[in-house]
Amino acid sequence: MSEDRQSRFTRTSYKVQQAQHLLGLFGMDGERANERSALTLLALLHLRPEHHWSEASNPMLGTRAIMDWMRDVYGRHYAPNTRETIRRFTLHQFADAMLVVQNPDAPDRPVNSPKWNYQVTSEALAVIHAYGTPAFDAHLRNYLALVPGLRDRYAAARDVNRIPVTMPGGVPFTLSPGGQNVLIKQMVEEFCPQFTPGGEVLYVGDADAKWALFEAERLAELGVTVDRHGPMPDLVVYLPDKDWLVLMEAASSHGPVNSRRRAELAALFGGAAPGLVYVSCFPDRREMRKYLHEVAWETEAWCADDPTHLIHFNGERFLGPYQ
């Protein structure tokens, strides 16, 4: 190895070790202070091996851009299928610790948006700038004392943009911003009063928290035991007077109840005592036309822009289970 390459390798390794040490001081455990997490922090700071910590910055970066920086600047290549590992096991914990904030430019950004990004908080950046100086310990103590309040402040910025939903019976509920949750709100507030009056909402999915509402005990009473890794529909409503379980999919993001999805749901709810009804929900007829060729027979389709009408795809009866 040439002298220049050896020097760069030494600087790179030392910077990664410093980043690991810094993460430990921020209270991260071993998993969140490993090499992968250290490189993630260095990418978020756009800090090169030859830079001083006082030169750190805090651009907004997505996971792909973070991985590109690791590769291009630090020579650490992570395969594309490790993106979820970095997101779940490093970036989420950084956010929980208030080391980073998610989507400071758009707190209402849907969680499935390709524009989702992370930025080191200004408070954490001030501490990082002091790393290696006599002032660091005081900066760190002050920051750690502030973290609970910072957590509340940043959480409030996202919570204020949550989508309010009025559940049957007038019970208030909220969903994370954007994405298919706009359609799920319409399903709850417009489909249910029209087509499942008196129904019990037993499950609501959310792009941010899949199991936003999950009435496990009530479902168990109906013979349904669900694996939390199972492919749940977006909304499950029980109609006591008809003894039906209505399984509803928000087709704006993942498509309708096609024959494959119908079979998945039939297997997932295979132990259910009530009859099963399958409904594909669309924001409008234009969106529905994209998927008409996929919608399974013996299912229903509904469009939020014409909420009092339902389209039936063949079968013996309208809006009912098929045994």
Side-chain angles (χ1 to χ4, degrees):
M1 184 181 296
S2 69
E3 185 175 341
D4 285 347
R5 288 185 64 192
Q6 178 63 50
S7 176
R8 177 166 178 78
F9 177 79
T10 301
R11 287 199 307 270
T12 297
S13 298
Y14 183 55
K15 190 65 74 177
V16 171
Q17 290 170 14
Q18 284 185 310
Q20 289 182 269
H21 179 244
L22 183 56
L23 286 171
L25 295 174
F26 272 113
M28 299 294 173
D29 62 15
E31 174 72 16
R32 259 56 60 179
N34 60 15
E35 183 183 84
R36 181 194 68 236
S37 296
L39 288 165
T40 300
L41 177 63
L42 291 167
L44 285 164
L45 297 171
H46 264 207
L47 199 67
R48 294 177 175 274
E50 65 273 16
H51 284 170
H52 297 294
W53 288 94
S54 60
E55 297 177 81
S57 59
N58 60 341
M60 292 181 292
L61 298 176
T63 311
R64 181 70 265 169
I66 290 169
M67 293 172 69
D68 288 346
W69 180 272
M70 294 177 182
R71 180 197 64 221
D72 297 343
V73 177
Y74 282 87
R76 304 293 203 276
H77 177 72
Y78 286 90
N81 61 5
T82 60
R83 184 185 306 186
E84 184 66 9
T85 299
I86 292 170
R87 189 180 68 82
R88 288 182 58 197
F89 296 105
T90 294
L91 290 166
H92 277 191
Q93 281 68 28
F94 282 9
D96 288 343
M98 290 317 306
L99 187 60
V100 304
V101 62
Q102 303 177 83
N103 302 301
D105 59 327
D108 61 343
R109 180 169 288 136
V111 295
N112 54 358
S113 170
K115 296 181 180 180
W116 192 274
N117 64 69
Y118 306 85
Q119 183 182 46
V120 173
T121 64
S122 57
E123 295 84 0
L125 185 63
V127 181
I128 291 166
H129 280 162
Y131 183 60
T133 73
F136 174 76
D137 288 345
H139 277 282
L140 181 63
R141 282 195 303 272
N142 291 338
Y143 170 80
L144 294 176
L146 284 172
V147 164
L150 293 174
R151 187 176 290 115
D152 292 342
R153 190 181 84 199
Y154 282 109
R158 183 159 176 82
D159 287 346
V160 76
N161 291 291
R162 290 184 68 84
I163 300 171
V165 180
T166 302
M167 303 290 279
V171 178
F173 187 73
T174 65
L175 293 168
S176 60
Q180 66 181 20
N181 288 346
V182 175
L183 178 56
I184 292 176
K185 171 183 170 71
Q186 294 172 303
M187 290 157 59
V188 173
E189 296 183 345
E190 298 182 47
F191 179 96
C192 289
Q194 184 73 31
F195 297 105
T196 60
E200 304 172 29
V201 177
L202 303 184
Y203 174 85
V204 179
D206 186 334
D208 196 18
K210 182 180 176 183
W211 305 82
L213 184 150
F214 179 41
E215 301 291 351
E217 292 184 8
R218 184 68 176 117
L219 282 167
E221 291 173 3
L222 300 172
V224 179
T225 302
V226 178
D227 179 352
R228 281 189 172 265
H229 298 289
M232 287 292 285
D234 295 304
L235 186 66
V236 177
V237 180
Y238 175 59
L239 278 175
D241 58 336
K242 298 182 181 292
D243 196 30
W244 293 350
L245 272 175
V246 182
L247 312 180
M248 303 171 65
E249 290 277 55
S252 58
S253 298
H254 306 297
V257 180
N258 56 24
S259 56
R260 178 191 60 77
R261 183 62 172 140
R262 190 181 187 280
E264 281 182 352
L265 292 173
L268 188 66
F269 288 82
L276 302 179
V277 180
Y278 308 90
V279 185
S280 298
C281 300
F282 302 91
D284 51 52
R285 279 188 280 184
R286 176 181 295 180
E287 187 70 15
M288 182 180 68
R289 280 197 292 271
K290 299 178 185 177
Y291 297 102
L292 275 176
H293 65 288
E294 295 185 34
V295 178
W297 295 116
E298 300 181 340
T299 68
E300 323 298 328
W302 177 80
C303 296
D305 68 340
D306 204 353
T308 60
H309 291 77
L310 199 64
I311 300 169
H312 176 61
F313 280 74
N314 205 2
E316 299 174 356
R317 60 179 65 84
F318 181 73
L319 188 60
Y322 302 88
Q323 305 298 340

